[in-house]
Amino acid sequence: MNGFEKRRMAKRNSIIEAAIDLFTKHGFKKVSVSEIAVKAKVSQVTIYNLFESKDKLKEVSVKVLFDRMFDAYEEILEGEESFMEKIESMFSLKMVALENQIVNIAGDLMNPNSSMANIMDECYHESVERFFKIIDMGKEEGCIRKDISNETIGVYFDMIKSYYYNPEKTSLIHDKKIMEEMYKVFWYGLVDTKTTENR
């Protein structure tokens, strides 16, 4: 990578970080390109040259956030913690993601007619893959009930996704208490209590 490419990449990263920060604090619709430019210390022309539009910048920013969350999931999966400790760590990760950045644009993400629909589908499938990794790990350790098939769990995921795609229901993802309880209902509904109580 030559000097020009390094400077271009540095500007791109600076713009993404500025956009994420401003979108998180104020919401996508209330943030202007000029405000992002000021925070990133670049010109508006540079933003348009690198991202074409504010909507494209949003798409890139959301993908960056999801990638960070997936990296954190992977770190948990590869850690030395017990299965139940991994579950608790994933609770924390989920709540941090909801409380901070992704939740501020989740309503847009959950709209199947929005420009974000493809990103949502891609991230949904990546999430499911990681969930199945830890579910299989839990079954191997005897912590997850083996009488519940992965196929049934997959149906549950699809039902939740369909529920979120309902425009009348998407506001619920902003309710941290409901989201935390739904998350616990899912995981602790799978836990083999006889096995975990003996540990």
Side-chain angles (χ1 to χ4, degrees):
M1 185 181 292
N2 59 36
F4 172 78
E5 290 172 335
K6 287 181 180 179
R7 289 191 297 274
R8 181 182 176 86
M9 184 60 67
K11 287 181 180 180
R12 185 178 186 277
N13 292 339
S14 178
I15 292 167
I16 291 171
E17 293 304 324
I20 288 174
D21 183 57
L22 292 172
F23 292 160
T24 299
K25 291 178 179 177
H26 309 294
F28 172 74
K29 292 181 179 179
K30 293 183 178 179
V31 176
S32 67
V33 172
S34 62
E35 290 172 320
I36 297 171
V38 169
K39 187 169 183 64
K41 298 180 180 179
V42 299
S43 69
Q44 294 184 54
V45 173
T46 297
I47 293 177
Y48 287 115
N49 284 340
L50 292 174
F51 298 97
E52 297 182 10
S53 68
K54 180 182 163 187
D55 284 331
K56 290 292 185 182
L57 174 56
K58 178 179 69 170
E59 291 177 17
V60 173
S61 299
V62 169
K63 190 65 171 63
V64 166
L65 291 176
F66 271 113
D67 285 343
R68 289 176 183 172
M69 190 170 70
F70 291 145
D71 287 344
Y73 276 135
E74 207 63 40
E75 185 176 342
I76 290 172
L77 289 173
E78 294 175 357
E80 299 298 325
E81 297 176 306
S82 69
F83 173 76
M84 294 308 297
E85 288 172 334
K86 281 179 166 54
I87 293 299
E88 291 299 330
S89 295
M90 291 180 80
F91 281 157
S92 296
L93 177 64
K94 185 71 172 181
M95 295 329 324
V96 166
L98 289 172
E99 291 171 0
N100 289 313
Q101 297 155 326
I102 297 177
V103 72
N104 288 300
I105 49 176
D108 216 7
L109 281 172
M110 297 301 178
N111 181 352
N113 298 316
S114 77
S115 62
M116 307 296 290
N118 289 337
I119 291 178
M120 180 58 198
D121 283 338
E122 179 184 337
C123 293
Y124 166 76
H125 290 300
E126 287 190 43
S127 296
V128 170
E129 286 179 11
R130 283 163 174 77
F131 279 127
F132 278 128
K133 280 185 182 179
I134 197 167
I135 287 168
D136 289 339
M137 186 184 302
K139 286 182 176 180
E140 289 177 7
E141 291 187 22
C143 297
I144 288 286
R145 295 170 55 179
K146 294 183 179 180
D147 61 330
I148 300 178
S149 69
N150 284 3
E151 182 180 7
T152 298
I153 296 169
V155 171
Y156 177 90
F157 285 139
D158 287 341
M159 289 172 61
I160 294 297
K161 180 185 176 187
S162 297
Y163 185 84
Y164 283 155
Y165 271 171
N166 183 338
E168 296 179 359
K169 304 296 184 181
T170 52
S171 61
L172 289 178
I173 62 175
H174 294 273
D175 189 318
K176 290 178 246 182
K177 184 173 184 294
I178 288 178
M179 289 305 300
E180 183 177 9
E181 289 176 355
M182 286 179 65
Y183 207 59
K184 288 182 177 179
V185 163
F186 172 72
W187 280 114
Y188 290 124
L190 291 174
V191 168
D192 187 333
T193 55
K194 293 181 181 178
T195 302
T196 54
E197 284 173 359
N198 292 330
R199 294 190 167 219

